[in-house]
Amino acid sequence: MISKQILFNSFSRQNFYPQQRAAQAWIVIIGFLFLITSSYFISAAMLRLVFPATALVVAIFLYLRHPLLYIGFTWWIWFLSPLLARLVDYRVGWDPTRQMLIAPYLVVFVTIATFLKYIPSTIRQGGLPFILGFIGVLYGFLVGLIYNQPIPVFRGFLDWVSPIIFGFHLFTNWRDYPSYRQNIQRVFVWCVLILGAYGIYQFVVAPEWDTYWLIESKMFTSSGNPVPFGMRVWSTMHSVGPFGAVMQAGLLLLFTSSGPLIFPASAVGYLSFLLAQARTNWGGWLLGVIMIMGSVKARIQMRLITIILVMAMCVLPLLTIEPISKVVTSRLETFANLQEDGSLKDRSGSYDRNLSLALTNGFGNGLGNTWKVNEKTGQIEVFVIDSGILDMFFTLGWFGAIPYMGALILMIFTVSQYTEARFDSFVSAARAIAFSCCTQLIIGSGMLSIAGMILWGFFAMAMAAHKYYQHQGIKV
């Protein structure tokens, strides 16, 4: 009788305690949303401090009590923080410091606990690339403290290190790969649906908070005109590039997902992706599709071809509507005349001017060299380098760029040999996303911010899948 009672109690703890923790986690998340919403209408200016602080508190709670929801919460903070910042700016005035955008970095930085805890054992478990990447960034941080002002240095450190430690956190939890895979698929399906729908609304309506941001940020040359049908879509993100990176990853992940949301998400997702006019990400998506098709079995290939055809049937009719047709067609036509393209000329000129200078800078300028404090206004301003390769050598020098680039090369070489993609389409998609992001480093700093989260995060998921299947004894 006693043994039966013990068995029953054990069963009860196993089945109900996780549900209780999940309920607690959702109560905390809903409470966070209620606090942010009420604060916006009561005192929007207060949100500039409340939002980052409460996001960090919620992240710590989820990290400790419900790690799976922590992953989803982290992605959504990245997706939605820029829109919330624009809404607050529109309500109470422009904030040149962009302090609300620190929230995603604080949420990710919680995973430094995972990094510090598992560093001793990670080399023999396949985590060497994350250590090499961290060493390169740490070197740049130390050099930055010598040459640059402290605030830009710490801001740059968050930009560089966040993707690495988040990716390491995903890799370390390889035992829970199936649940993490399902969570990420679900998050990105909803991401494509919501961000895609808002992107179309943004293009057609030109909301006042978005036009206000466009005017104050002076992003006319890269993000279009602040009028209906005049903007390049960036949806809830803070510019076209990050939106393109997110949608590129999300649309590739749709090939691995199922459910009733796939086709409406595809319709709004592809349309907004085209309206973003992000040619680099268009090319990355195409490369990703080719890689996925070439790595899966014939049965999965046929399924993917069917999905692509159905998606095309959903999107192509929408492209015949003016002025959508004119915007997309004119952008596509630039591929036929690249030698006259201004953007390509600017990037080519940047390489001509800066490549030799970057390669001869052995010690590097350190982190914070692309974030300058204006001595007259006291504001942090961004100096943009349209090349991840140049950015690595300018910032990290040879001593930091070698371990950092070595980490990326090691991940590319290692992940390319995985055979799990033959039967797990998510592994194929994760690998395609990560590889396509790496190719874009030639023309953009895609290892930073949300683009870096995608690059390192999906490399990590592919590595976690390999380790999980090895442990299960599953081979192709």
Side-chain angles (χ1 to χ4, degrees):
M1 185 70 179
I2 296 176
S3 61
K4 288 182 178 180
Q5 185 65 36
I6 293 174
L7 183 62
F8 174 78
N9 291 339
S10 175
F11 175 84
S12 299
R13 284 193 296 269
Q14 183 178 358
N15 288 276
F16 291 104
Y17 279 15
Q19 294 180 10
Q20 292 174 356
R21 287 199 298 270
Q24 291 174 353
W26 278 111
I27 290 172
V28 170
I29 293 173
I30 293 171
F32 169 75
L33 294 175
F34 177 78
L35 175 63
I36 298 305
T37 304
S38 58
S39 297
Y40 176 76
F41 289 103
I42 296 172
S43 177
M46 185 175 62
L47 267 180
R48 288 174 175 160
L49 294 176
V50 170
F51 177 66
T54 53
L56 175 60
V57 172
V58 173
I60 293 173
F61 175 84
L62 295 177
Y63 175 86
L64 296 174
R65 298 290 295 173
H66 206 293
L68 201 58
L69 283 179
Y70 166 76
I71 300 300
F73 180 77
T74 299
W75 284 117
W76 281 110
I77 289 294
W78 277 102
F79 298 154
L80 299 179
S81 292
L83 175 60
L84 180 60
R86 293 201 296 273
L87 289 169
V88 171
D89 284 349
Y90 177 70
R91 191 174 178 87
V92 299
W94 176 252
D95 176 23
T97 65
R98 317 305 296 147
Q99 64 186 35
M100 287 185 67
L101 298 184
I102 199 69
Y105 298 99
L106 295 178
V107 169
V108 173
F109 202 72
V110 174
T111 58
I112 194 67
T114 304
F115 190 82
L116 296 176
K117 180 179 179 180
Y118 292 101
I119 273 183
S121 60
T122 193
I123 294 180
R124 61 177 180 270
Q125 293 181 359
L128 179 60
F130 301 99
I131 293 180
L132 289 175
F134 187 84
I135 289 173
V137 173
L138 182 61
Y139 169 82
F141 174 72
L142 296 176
V143 173
L145 291 177
I146 298 173
Y147 291 118
N148 304 311
Q149 299 179 52
I151 293 179
V153 171
F154 281 100
R155 178 64 177 83
F157 180 71
L158 291 175
D159 244 346
W160 284 81
V161 83
S162 295
I164 298 174
I165 60 176
F166 184 73
F168 182 83
H169 177 75
L170 294 175
F171 170 71
T172 303
N173 287 280
W174 60 266
R175 292 176 181 82
D176 298 314
Y177 163 73
S179 57
Y180 275 61
R181 173 186 61 191
Q182 183 181 26
N183 177 270
I184 289 175
Q185 285 175 316
R186 184 167 56 246
V187 165
F188 273 86
V189 167
W190 280 103
C191 164
V192 171
L193 179 63
I194 295 174
L195 270 64
Y198 183 82
I200 296 171
Y201 169 77
Q202 182 183 64
F203 178 76
V204 173
V205 177
E208 294 179 350
W209 45 89
D210 289 336
T211 57
Y212 178 77
W213 174 87
L214 193 57
I215 293 169
E216 292 294 333
S217 64
K218 299 178 175 61
M219 298 281 285
F220 304 112
T221 56
S222 61
S223 298
N225 298 317
V227 294
F229 305 105
M231 293 182 178
R232 293 176 62 185
V233 166
W234 68 90
S235 189
T236 65
M237 307 303 295
H238 61 78
S239 63
V240 172
F243 173 70
V246 170
M247 293 303 287
Q248 174 186 325
L251 292 171
L252 290 174
L253 275 184
L254 286 185
F255 294 130
T256 73
S257 305
S258 59
L261 295 177
I262 298 301
F263 293 114
S266 298
V268 296
Y270 278 105
L271 184 56
S272 63
F273 188 49
L274 290 171
L275 291 174
Q277 305 174 53
R279 294 178 304 179
T280 301
N281 299 109
W282 292 354
W285 174 87
L286 181 59
L287 175 62
V289 170
I290 294 172
M291 292 186 65
I292 293 173
M293 294 294 291
S295 64
V296 296
K297 293 181 179 180
R299 177 178 58 83
I300 302 178
Q301 285 179 342
M302 292 303 299
R303 175 176 172 269
L304 294 180
I305 291 173
T306 303
I307 293 173
I308 291 173
L309 291 175
V310 174
M311 289 177 177
M313 292 173 62
C314 294
V315 176
L316 289 177
L318 299 175
L319 295 179
T320 61
I321 303 172
E322 292 292 349
I324 295 175
S325 175
K326 181 180 179 181
V327 170
V328 175
T329 302
S330 61
R331 192 62 170 171
L332 288 172
E333 288 174 348
T334 61
F335 285 106
N337 194 23
L338 289 176
Q339 65 272 16
E340 299 298 327
D341 182 71
S343 178
L344 185 62
K345 285 183 177 180
D346 290 342
R347 287 188 169 94
S348 178
S350 176
Y351 265 97
D352 292 340
R353 293 189 303 271
N354 297 318
L355 182 59
S356 60
L357 181 62
L359 295 179
T360 55
N361 190 357
F363 292 100
N365 298 325
L367 299 183
N369 73 96
T370 55
W371 293 84
K372 302 296 184 182
V373 176
N374 189 311
E375 295 181 357
K376 294 181 179 180
T377 64
Q379 300 173 7
I380 297 178
E381 298 177 349
V382 184
F383 171 67
V384 179
I385 301 176
D386 283 330
S387 166
I389 307 299
L390 291 179
D391 200 355
M392 288 180 201
F393 282 98
F394 268 125
T395 302
L396 306 180
W398 279 95
F399 293 101
I402 288 176
Y404 191 92
M405 294 186 69
L408 296 177
I409 293 170
L410 181 59
M411 286 193 295
I412 292 171
F413 178 77
T414 303
V415 172
S416 64
Q417 300 181 64
Y418 292 165
T419 57
E420 289 82 5
R422 299 290 294 172
F423 61 87
D424 186 340
S425 58
F426 180 86
V427 176
S428 177
R431 183 168 62 184
I433 291 168
F435 283 10
S436 62
C437 288
C438 283
T439 62
Q440 294 169 39
L441 292 178
I442 299 173
I443 52 178
S445 297
M447 64 287 184
L448 308 178
S449 188
I450 183 65
M453 292 281 290
I454 291 170
L455 188 156
W456 284 89
F458 282 97
F459 262 132
M461 285 301 296
M463 295 165 67
H466 177 69
K467 198 164 181 61
Y468 172 81
Y469 287 122
Q470 271 191 326
H471 183 73
Q472 296 294 319
I474 300 175
K475 297 181 180 180
V476 179

